[in-house]
Amino acid sequence: TPHSNTTFMDSQTDDLSSKKIIVFKTITNGPMTGSRKRPSEGNYEKEKDVCIQLFDQWSEADQVEFVEHLISRMCHYQHGHINSYLKPMLQRDFITALPAQGLDHIAENILSFLDARSLCSAELVCKEWQRVISEGMLWKKLIERMVRTDPLWKGLSERHQWEKYLFKNRTTEVPPNSYYRSLYPKIIQDIETIEANWRCGRHNLQRIQCRSENSKGVYCLQYDDDKIISGLRDNSIKIWDKQSLECLKILTGHTGSVLCLQYDERVIVTGSSDSTVRVWDVNTGEVLNTLIHHNEAVLHLRFCNGLMVTCSKDRSIAVWDMASPTDISLRRVLVGHRAAVNVVDFDDKYIVSASGDRTIKVWSTSTCEFVRTLNGHKRGIACLQYRDRLVVSGSSDNTIRLWDIECGACLRVLEGHEELVRCIRFDNKRIVSGAYDGKIKVWDLQAALDPRAPASTLCLRTLVEHSGRVFRLQFDEFQIISSSHDDTILIWDFLNVSTNGQTEGRSPSRTYTYISR
């Protein structure tokens, strides 16, 4: 073949063949480097020039094949020398090279995948890398990426009002890259402070006195940035301004205590001890629908994406189709519990229910067929939350259990409350529970999921301010809002805490709670 080295040699004159054999022998005597530390042997310099002249005359394919033959005849030590020689030749500063070819956007896109520590290092490589990072606004893009993916970052951007400088293109008025570079460590400091406040129990406490006219107690609540909606033992629903804490509206209509509620941007749905479910317009407070199905108190409800699930003291679970607030029809009744069904939760895959019969039951959301039972609690179950594969439940056996819904295994038992665990919520980091002992406990979720973590390390903080049973709570990255039999709603703020250990206008005893585990 034309590119066979043996055929090529045989086809040449004897003189040329002998010269190529010289090439073979002389080059294999040592590494091909421009400068030699040892003295030349024999006619090396002269023979080397002949080799180079011949090599330059060959095609690239022939050159590659010839070098492959040479390398194959070398020893491991020589291969190491060649490798050291080739490595720097194969390296390319593509971040500097790309803008020179008019491809700045590609260089920016590559560097935009770096985390903060790597981005700092990249700025120190050279002026060109620093220019690409600066002109590409890569610190801004890093912050935007964190805000998109992390609720804590998103919440901080809204509360500290630097979100207005994000998600804007270069044609609008935006600060320079240096602004975002200096902003990033400030955000990290804020996050570290918030995490430390959660761990140490530092918070600012605000209290809403609900002033119920007859029987006292706040059974349920839900909040957003603007309002808190609460269901009371005195049969009313009260809507509070989140900032001023003033009562904006009182909804009446139920003839029994309001035991559960949920709202979205259109409606409030409430369940009562009068056995009915009512649907209210969230803006006007007008009653849009009343569902009469259960025979006893409606203890809990959830709705999402056109589906609602209610449960009752009558031991049944009702699954409803919500075409609109006024068009709600019963799809199926789930029967299987042997005592009051205290709580339900669901997603697209499963409906999960818990009962005074000490069991958690799992049902198929699509078919409403029974799937499995989770057994373990020694007394009735009062509360649970379900998300992804994880179910967290609280019971009158004073414990909290973590379950894998797919296999039914109990992953962990949390002990610490002294009475019935009445309410529980979790996110990616924490479990927060409230109990009839009047205490709210904050637990480390990730540690609880680690079987190696000692039980003594799981409860991060115990908060004591309520003077009665804790009925319901909700929390996010910055706060817990809880309600109690003591007729109050408490807002535990872990963001706005003064640095001197006290919060303005409040005594330390009311603002901070340091309770041992």
Side-chain angles (χ1 to χ4, degrees), residues 252-269:
T252 57
H254 278 298
T255 57
S257 300
V258 181
L259 303 178
C260 53
L261 68 81
Q262 184 185 344
Y263 71 84
D264 62 11
E265 67 280 355
R266 295 190 303 162
V267 296
I268 308 168
V269 183

Side-chain angles (χ1 to χ4, degrees), residues 223-294:
Y223 71 87
D224 57 40
D225 289 340
D226 302 315
K227 61 185 176 294
I228 303 169
I229 301 182
S230 58
L232 278 71
R233 192 180 179 194
D234 68 3
N235 309 348
S236 70
I237 299 143
K238 291 187 177 180
I239 303 176
W240 310 86
D241 184 281
K242 180 76 160 44
Q243 307 307 319
S244 68
L245 307 185
E246 295 177 359
C247 185
L248 302 175
K249 198 172 296 182
I250 301 176
L251 310 184
T252 57
H254 278 298
T255 57
S257 300
V258 181
L259 303 178
C260 53
L261 68 81
Q262 184 185 344
Y263 71 84
D264 62 11
E265 67 280 355
R266 295 190 303 162
V267 296
I268 308 168
V269 183
T270 57
S272 168
S273 58
D274 65 12
S275 307
T276 69
V277 174
R278 288 181 179 251
V279 183
W280 317 71
D281 185 295
V282 73
N283 296 310
T284 66
E286 176 190 0
V287 177
L288 303 176
N289 204 340
T290 302
L291 305 178
I292 302 174
H293 165 74
H294 289 290

Side-chain angles (χ1 to χ4, degrees), residues 8 153 245 261 263 291 321 326 369 371 411 463 474 506:
F8 178 84
W153 283 71
L245 307 185
L261 68 81
Y263 71 84
L291 305 178
D321 289 308
T326 56
E369 297 300 319
V371 177
L411 306 174
L463 307 172
Q474 180 185 341
R506 295 196 173 273

Side-chain angles (χ1 to χ4, degrees), residues 291 319-323 327-332:
L291 305 178
V319 182
W320 308 79
D321 289 308
M322 299 179 69
D327 183 7
I328 302 175
S329 57
L330 184 64
R331 178 195 294 186
R332 186 84 173 264

Side-chain angles (χ1 to χ4, degrees), residues 102-117:
L103 301 173
D104 298 64
H105 61 288
I106 296 178
E108 293 170 8
N109 192 46
I110 293 169
L111 293 180
S112 71
F113 288 95
L114 297 179
D115 59 20
R117 185 183 297 274

Side-chain angles (χ1 to χ4, degrees), residues 114-133:
L114 297 179
D115 59 20
R117 185 183 297 274
S118 302
L119 202 57
C120 284
S121 299
E123 287 180 318
L124 301 175
V125 171
C126 64
K127 289 184 178 179
E128 183 61 20
W129 282 48
Q130 188 179 47
R131 184 195 67 79
V132 170
I133 291 169

